[in-house]
């Protein structure tokens, strides 16, 4: 029989960037350990897609984006409440199960054996946008654009590379370090001076009824108590800006 507290506990719906799939599951586990009656539902996807969903009335309470621009778009529409906070800095990596990218780095992009390269949709996924930005800065985009396979989000791009459907994939370092993926291929961490910093931010979504669990979860996400979890997946925290 459910207790009165369990019946009235608020369900929290979180819209989270696809690159957070593993790290946020770990943070959720830590949160529920401290708050056993909490009900946290995580939905992962491209940040741009989630902005569209929230704009169209999706019932999310908290938005964790892969950049600082998409939360600002929601704020401009009057759909947020409170401050927009940086929770982590993400890192871009090149992943392959076919080529030794860990040894050859970005030089592998010039290998004629590379037929397909997975990149998250640059229109809706910040990691995809940074990937295109990188290729253009290296003056490789025009030569490689015919090989690019556009994935719905960074998680899908990683899946293409992990399964070998593409020889290479631009992925979030956090996904390359995920338990399911470690040891199945190799990766190269792309120098952060080659692309605009991936400043990942979060914000509460304005609702007609206050969801106190959302503010509580946001505070937990931003807490330094999660430092080890963030670092486990290759993120840099705000107080250690790259």
């Amino acid at each position: 029989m459910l207790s009165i507290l369990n019946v009235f506990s608020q369900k929290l719906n979180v819209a989270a960037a696809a690159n957070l799939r593993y790290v946020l599951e770990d943070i959720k586990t830590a949160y529920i350990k401290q708050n056993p009656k909490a009900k946290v539902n995580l939905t992962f996807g491209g940040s741009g897609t989630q902005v569209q969903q929230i704009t169209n009335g999706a019932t999310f309470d908290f938005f964790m984006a892969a950049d600082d621009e998409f939360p600002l778009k929601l704020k401009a529409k009057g759909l947020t409440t409170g401050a927009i906070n940086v929770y982590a800095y993400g890192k871009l990596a090149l992943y392959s199960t076919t080529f030794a990218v860990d040894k050859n780095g970005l030089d592998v992009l010039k290998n004629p054996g590379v037929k397909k390269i997975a990149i998250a949709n640059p229109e809706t996924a910040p990691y995809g946008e940074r990937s295109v930005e990188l290729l253009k800065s290296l003056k490789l985009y025009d030569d490689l654009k015919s090989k690019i396979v556009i994935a719905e989000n960074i998680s899908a791009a990683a899946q293409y590379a992990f399964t070998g459907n593409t020889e290479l994939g631009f992925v979030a370092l956090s996904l390359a370090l995920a338990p399911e993926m470690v040891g199945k291929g190799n990766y190269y961490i792309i120098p952060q001076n080659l692309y605009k910093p991936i400043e990942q931010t979060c914000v509460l979504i304005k609702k007609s009824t206050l969801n106190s669990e959302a503010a509580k979860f946001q505070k937990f996400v931003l807490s330094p108590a999660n430092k080890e979890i963030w670092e486990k997946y290759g993120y840099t925290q705000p107080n250690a800006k790259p």
Side-chain angles (χ1 to χ4, degrees), residues 143-236:
D143 291 336
L144 297 175
K145 62 183 178 182
S146 63
K147 298 181 179 183
I148 292 174
V149 176
I150 299 296
E152 183 180 358
N153 53 55
I154 195 64
S155 183
Q159 196 61 31
Y160 287 159
F162 293 144
T163 57
N165 287 324
T166 63
E167 288 86 7
L168 302 176
F170 283 96
V171 307
L173 176 60
S174 59
L175 298 177
L177 295 175
E180 294 180 15
M181 312 305 175
V182 170
K184 294 185 178 180
N186 55 84
Y187 62 89
Y188 171 73
I189 302 174
I190 297 170
Q192 290 177 274
N193 64 334
L194 296 180
Y195 58 92
K196 180 182 175 183
I198 304 175
E199 187 176 69
Q200 302 199 199
T201 62
C202 62
V203 70
L204 296 171
I205 303 303
K206 185 179 290 184
K207 305 295 286 288
S208 57
T209 304
L210 175 68
N211 188 331
S212 58
E213 198 70 50
K216 190 175 179 180
F217 185 72
Q218 179 189 44
K219 184 177 180 180
F220 185 81
V221 164
L222 297 172
S223 168
N226 296 307
K227 182 175 183 291
E228 288 186 10
I229 298 177
W230 287 114
E231 290 181 348
K232 172 184 174 183
Y233 290 94
Y235 292 95
T236 302

Side-chain angles (χ1 to χ4, degrees), residues 63-69 71 84-87 199-203:
F63 179 39
M64 296 183 68
D67 70 354
D68 57 342
E69 295 178 11
I84 295 174
N85 295 286
V86 179
Y87 62 85
E199 187 176 69
Q200 302 199 199
T201 62
C202 62
V203 70

Side-chain angles (χ1 to χ4, degrees), residues 120-141:
N121 187 342
E123 298 297 320
T124 57
Y127 278 83
E129 180 186 30
R130 299 300 193 279
S131 300
V132 170
E133 174 188 318
L134 169 72
L135 291 177
K136 288 182 175 179
S137 70
L138 296 174
K139 301 188 185 306
L140 293 173
Y141 183 75

Side-chain angles (χ1 to χ4, degrees), residues 21 33 47 55 58 64 92 110 120 174-175 194 241:
R21 182 172 299 276
K33 188 173 182 180
S47 295
T55 301
M64 296 183 68
L92 191 62
K110 301 175 184 178
S174 59
L175 298 177
L194 296 180
K241 183 176 178 179

Side-chain angles (χ1 to χ4, degrees), residues 28-108:
K28 172 185 171 180
T29 297
Y31 180 76
I32 291 177
K33 188 173 182 180
Q34 292 186 19
N35 305 274
K37 294 182 175 63
K39 299 175 182 177
V40 181
N41 180 47
L42 304 176
T43 299
F44 299 99
S47 295
T49 300
Q50 292 183 328
V51 164
Q52 294 170 7
Q53 292 171 340
I54 293 168
T55 301
N56 292 331
T59 57
F60 291 116
D61 305 294
F62 184 43
F63 179 39
M64 296 183 68
D67 70 354
D68 57 342
E69 295 178 11
F70 284 117
L72 286 172
K73 290 182 179 180
L74 289 179
K75 182 177 181 179
K77 295 178 181 180
L79 297 175
T80 66
T81 182
I84 295 174
N85 295 286
V86 179
Y87 62 85
Y89 290 92
K91 298 184 180 75
L92 191 62
L94 188 62
Y95 183 93
S96 180
T97 59
T98 309
F99 293 93
V101 293
D102 55 333
K103 296 177 181 178
N104 298 316
L106 294 173
D107 286 340
V108 75

